[in-house]
Amino acid sequence: MTYSAAENRYESMPYRRVGRSGLKLPAISLGLWHNFGDDKPFEVQRAILRRAFDLGVTHFDLANNYGPPYGAAETNFGRHFKDDFRPYRDELIISSKAGYDMWPGPYGNFGSRKYLLASLDQSLARMGLDYVDIFYSHRPDPETPMEETMGALDQAVRSGKALYAGISSYTPEQTLEAARILKELGTPLLIHQPSYSMLNRWTENGSPNLYEALDQAGAGSIAFSPLAQGMLTDRYLKGVPSDSRAAQDKSLDEGMITEENLDRICGLNRIAEGRGQSLAQMAIAWILREQGKGSSVTSALVGASSVRQLEDSLSAISNLDFTDEELHAIDEFAVESDINLWKQK
């Protein structure tokens, strides 16, 4: 059936300005890290994307190696874009990244100009796009000069193949350096995509911490894995289900489901119940809480394996406010749990 977007799609979703730019993102964005490869039925993918846009999700986030296999998420998204979303291109923010393993040999990984720009061309071809809205350096490269990596992002923007430049999993110090170089080149740093959740609070540490660094740079942030790879849901309240990510070793090590972490998850779940939210909804709302000047997240990036799961996550926007008492109670359980898979070694 021909898709026609819901006329009321902008009535409920709040949109937040990205740093000091002119761009706004939905409070909750949809990530295609999981569930959009060739292992997921195409019709299920289509239903999730359509429902997301109908509910005001204007931002779809991808990367070159999302799958399986590598590239499949972009290829499948390209088919959905052609079938359903091409008439709405100017209403969408589509992002992609390069920085992790993509193809064999010395030119298919990390942060060289060779890799980043070749990868961007491949991503555009897979998705059938003339440009992406945001192109990210997916991770810092310890061996490539920062000037080269940022120069590649600048070239991507100047070529018209990307509108904005972003980085992911950079430390506060690296973020400030990246922002300095990009500013000198004339392409401001738009956004940083860090992992962040109630059990993964590295972004709050240090002086400056990541959010203070981003405030200095005038950039925004979009938090990925706000549900701690599924730990902050009802999936693990009674142990490890056989069909869960942890049991199948899919981006969540079963060793992270410790008794201590389960106690924290159960404690957080009790607070969520008192708020009339699911644990997942509270976890997303907490990510989006007001933290004070220079410390607020622009958007929470969620995944979805079904329309029902998507709707549950998006319902978080109906209660984004926390009392001081709730935040104090959450802090008792929301502590660093050493689950950051993307921490630089």
Side-chain angles (χ1 to χ4, degrees), residues 30-312:
L30 181 64
L32 279 63
W33 177 22
H34 296 288
N35 305 307
F36 289 86
D38 291 347
D39 58 340
K40 194 74 172 180
F42 192 75
E43 291 304 318
V44 174
Q45 299 175 21
R46 170 174 286 165
I48 294 169
L49 289 168
R50 287 180 172 184
R51 186 59 174 152
F53 190 53
D54 283 347
L55 292 173
V57 177
T58 54
H59 178 26
F60 298 143
D61 178 78
L62 299 103
N64 56 357
N65 65 354
Y66 288 175
Y70 288 174
E74 289 184 331
T75 298
N76 289 332
F77 177 77
R79 293 174 60 193
H80 294 297
F81 177 79
K82 179 181 178 182
D83 292 345
D84 292 336
F85 297 104
R86 188 174 296 279
Y88 306 101
R89 177 64 183 99
D90 292 337
E91 298 181 43
L92 293 174
I93 301 298
I94 301 170
S95 60
S96 192
K97 318 176 198 73
Y100 283 93
D101 178 53
M102 182 58 192
W103 62 80
Y107 316 120
N109 209 339
F110 279 110
S112 71
R113 181 187 301 270
K114 168 76 172 175
Y115 172 46
L116 293 182
L117 296 179
S119 179
L120 177 55
D121 284 342
Q122 291 183 19
S123 292
L124 293 175
R126 281 190 289 267
M127 292 187 284
L129 300 176
D130 296 324
Y131 67 94
V132 292
D133 296 274
I134 307 169
F135 184 54
Y136 288 89
S137 166
H138 207 166
R139 61 170 169 173
D141 183 345
E143 297 184 351
T144 298
M146 184 83 75
E147 288 81 2
E148 179 174 342
T149 301
M150 294 306 108
L153 295 183
D154 173 67
Q155 184 173 335
V157 172
R158 290 183 183 279
S159 69
K161 295 177 182 179
L163 300 186
Y164 299 95
I167 58 176
S168 180
S169 297
Y170 281 52
T171 66
E173 294 75 19
Q174 290 170 329
T175 296
L176 289 172
E177 179 67 0
R180 180 192 66 79
I181 295 168
L182 284 170
K183 183 178 180 180
E184 290 179 354
L185 293 170
T187 297
L189 174 65
L190 174 79
I191 195 166
H192 187 299
Q193 187 174 131
S195 61
Y196 182 45
S197 74
M198 290 194 289
L199 299 179
N200 178 18
R201 302 183 67 167
W202 73 271
T203 55
E204 301 174 20
N205 300 327
S207 182
N209 67 31
L210 181 63
Y211 299 115
E212 291 166 342
L214 291 172
D215 185 54
Q216 290 182 39
S221 67
I222 177 169
F224 76 88
S225 203
L227 303 183
Q229 295 93 264
M231 290 174 65
L232 292 171
T233 69
D234 60 7
R235 294 280 281 162
Y236 300 100
L237 293 175
K238 297 181 180 179
V240 182
S242 60
D243 62 343
S244 65
R245 284 195 203 177
Q248 299 176 28
D249 195 25
K250 291 184 176 180
S251 76
L252 179 58
D253 186 340
E254 189 170 353
M256 295 179 180
I257 313 296
T258 62
E259 188 171 326
E260 189 176 36
N261 279 341
L262 286 174
D263 287 342
R264 292 166 179 162
I265 293 166
C266 289
L268 292 168
N269 186 62
R270 291 191 294 272
I271 299 170
E273 289 176 343
R275 286 171 50 84
Q277 289 182 308
S278 67
L279 176 56
Q281 289 166 349
M282 185 181 78
I284 295 167
W286 181 87
I287 287 287
L288 296 168
R289 74 197 185 284
E290 179 59 50
Q291 300 182 54
K293 179 175 173 57
S295 300
S296 297
V297 172
T298 309
S299 183
L301 185 60
V302 305
S305 61
S306 67
V307 169
R308 180 178 178 182
Q309 186 180 68
L310 171 74
E311 291 174 341
D312 181 75

